[in-house]
Each structure stands twice: as C-alpha cells, then as structure tokens.
Amino acid sequence: MTVDGKENIQPNETLCNSSVAYQYGGNHKSGWLARLPDSWLPYVQLARLSPPAGLCLIYFPHIFGILHAAILRRSPLPQVLQASALMLGGSFFVSNAIHAWNDLIDAPLDALVERTRNRPIPRGAVSSSAALFFTATQAVGAALFIPSLPHAKHQNALYALPSMIGWTYYPWAKRHTNCPQLVLGFCLAWGIIMGSRAMGSEPFAVGILGSGEKPYMEYSTLCLFLASILWTTMYDTIYAHQDLKDDIKVGIKSLAVLYRERTKSLLWQLLTLMAALLLACGRLSEMDLMYHLVAVGGATLSLGLMVARVDLQSSTSCWWWFSNGFWFAGGSIAAGLLLEYTSLNLLQGPLQY
C-alpha cells in the first residue's frame, strides 16, 4: 500500500485500507469516541482502545494461563473469576503502556509508512514528552496489580520482569532482528505465566523464584507458552505483510520482509509445530476430548484456513485475516480450556486447599 503502488489498488482495497488507517491511529471521532473531549482522543488512539484489539491480544494469553492452571489445580470458580478480573485490569494498563511506548519509539518510522503516518505522534497531536509521561503513568498502573497476586510480592515482581524487559526492547527489535514477531510473541505469551501466578501456581521455579529448593518446570505450561508464541508469530507476520513495500523501503525488519514470497511455507511449518505443542500440553495435563476437539482442533483448523486463504499480496486480505483470524484461534483455545475446566469441575468437583 505504497504511494507509488496506488494505481494498482482496486477501489474496494482502497476503501479497506482507509478503514485500517481510520481505526488504528487515524484522526477519527466516530462511535463512542464522539462523546469524549477532543483533548482525550489522541491518547485513546495512542493506546489503541478503538477498537480494543490490542487489549484482547494481551488478555487472551492471561486467560489461557488462568484456565490451564485452574484445570491442573481444579480450582473453584470464584478464584478463576477473581484472577480473570485482576488480569483484565492489569492487561488494560499494560496495553496502554506498551502501545504508547511503541509509538513513541517508532514515531520517525511511522511517519514514513502510509498506514501509520496519521498516528498521534507523527501527526503532532501528542508530543514526545506527553507520550512518555502517559507511558509512565500506565506502566505504574499495571505495576500496582502485581502486589495483588498470590505468593510473595518480590517473587511476583521478578516473574513479571522478563515481560517488562521484552516490552521495553520490542520497538527496537524491528531494527535489530528479522524476527520481531518472536519477540512480540514472547512478550504476549508471558501472560500465560502471569495468569498461572494469579491462580497461585508456580509454572516454573529456580533460585529465588519459587518456594521449593529444587528447580521446577511445569512442562504442560511450557508447551502452552511456546504454542502461544507461535500463534502470535503467525498472525503478526500476516499483519506485517500490509506494509511490506514501505518496510523494505525504510529498512524495517520482520519475518515478512525476510521471507516475502516464501512466507506461506513458514506459516505452515509454524502451524504444524503449534498444533504439536497444543497436543503435548493436553497430554501432559491429562485433558479430555473437549480440549482436543475445540482448542487443538479449532485453533488448527482456523489458522490453517487463514494460511490457505490469505493473499499476502493484498493489504485487504492481510488485514481481514489478521483482524478475524486471531479471534478464531484465540477463542478456540480459550473455549477448549474453559470447556475442559467446566467438565472437570462438574464431574469431579474442585479440590479443597
């Protein structure tokens, strides 16, 4: 979707591309945004709250971790609901902080890319100092949820540290490595670890992290964590194909830039490995039919359809499959875990601690 290539874009694609820019950083004021003061709008756009797809992408792995830990521990429903509410609040502030931070660092590059040049910082609606202050306030808001987690406060802070480091580094990943999607996948998938912590679980323990003396790893959680990294890598690589021409021109790195016409081959390999990891998670957790049918089968089928049908040469197609594909796959995994948890509790009842 470059300026030089506009004559090759069909009218319906132009309309779709306008909608993409309109929703993700464009200076728009529709729907519930029309009720807000004008001075608030750039910050809502900076945080990607309209629509809140970024928040959902951050929250999904937390839900995976909560439900998986609830299955392993046969936790009571009130505990699951409390942990879910806690992680939703934390995810809201994390989403605001990391989107603002990413736009702050990326502002010089965003100004050179057609789809992102109307974001608040490049167009001058938010200054760099204001964006930094907003980022800091939202990061503090997210940090305030850490003491509410079970276990020792210092352990919870140390568990959250890899995610903090990853999110801080992520805007530079697209300058330093051809695999920024893996960095993003790690940051998002860490929500599984924090979701497990919110349920009182220890997905791993080593040194001062953990209550036991020996190192420990919950391998089913590790499989779910790795599968989530691959899921993010798949949909974000498709997302990156929207800006492929501009990214090549300005020097932004990504798996889309690295693989280009070979991207679909990569996506099929990632999907195969992801499905194997989801199966391994189910086997190690001794899950039953509902998980395998809905979580493994649903996610594999929806992502397979996405890889087969997406046209990586079309920004319209990439946007549609990104914006819908993550819902199909993430919803399948969450629904499969929820059905497994519900079935387990109905048949056996929660364990008492």
Side-chain angles (χ1 to χ4, degrees), residues 101-113 116-117 121-123 128 171-172 175 250 252:
W101 175 248
N102 186 73
D103 278 15
L104 176 63
I105 304 302
D106 275 355
L109 295 177
D110 283 344
L112 302 175
V113 177
T116 58
R117 64 188 180 188
I121 300 175
R123 73 170 189 261
S128 296
W172 285 285
R175 298 164 172 83
V250 302
I252 297 174

Side-chain angles (χ1 to χ4, degrees), residues 27 38 47 50-51 57 67 119 137 142 152 223 232 242 286 292 295 336 350:
N27 189 15
D38 288 343
S50 177
L57 289 171
L67 291 173
R119 285 178 173 172
T137 60
C223 290
T232 299
Q242 293 179 99
E286 299 182 347
H292 290 89

Side-chain angles (χ1 to χ4, degrees), residues 22-95:
Y22 181 82
Q23 292 182 353
Y24 277 80
N27 189 15
H28 67 286
K29 190 179 179 180
S30 63
W32 64 275
L33 295 182
R35 302 177 183 179
L36 299 179
D38 288 343
S39 59
W40 291 18
L41 291 177
Y43 294 93
V44 173
Q45 296 161 0
L46 192 66
R48 307 286 200 282
L49 291 176
S50 177
L55 170 59
C56 295
L57 289 171
I58 290 171
Y59 188 50
F60 258 133
H62 290 85
I63 286 294
F64 299 166
I66 290 169
L67 291 173
H68 180 250
I71 291 168
L72 295 181
R73 297 168 60 87
R74 286 166 50 193
S75 304
L77 181 60
Q79 185 183 4
V80 174
L81 295 177
Q82 181 181 5
S84 298
L86 181 66
M87 290 294 96
L88 177 59
S91 295
F92 173 80
F93 285 101
V94 168
S95 178

Side-chain angles (χ1 to χ4, degrees), residues 67-75 201 218 220-221 284-287 344 351 353:
L67 291 173
H68 180 250
I71 291 168
L72 295 181
R73 297 168 60 87
R74 286 166 50 193
S75 304
S201 291
E218 176 53 65
S220 62
T221 303
L284 290 169
S285 303
E286 299 182 347
M287 295 195 206
L344 187 64
L351 289 176
Y353 292 93

Side-chain angles (χ1 to χ4, degrees), residues 173-181 252-258:
K174 63 195 72 175
R175 298 164 172 83
H176 299 160
T177 173
N178 289 312
C179 304
Q181 284 74 27
I252 297 174
K253 297 181 179 181
S254 71
L255 287 173
V257 172
L258 179 64

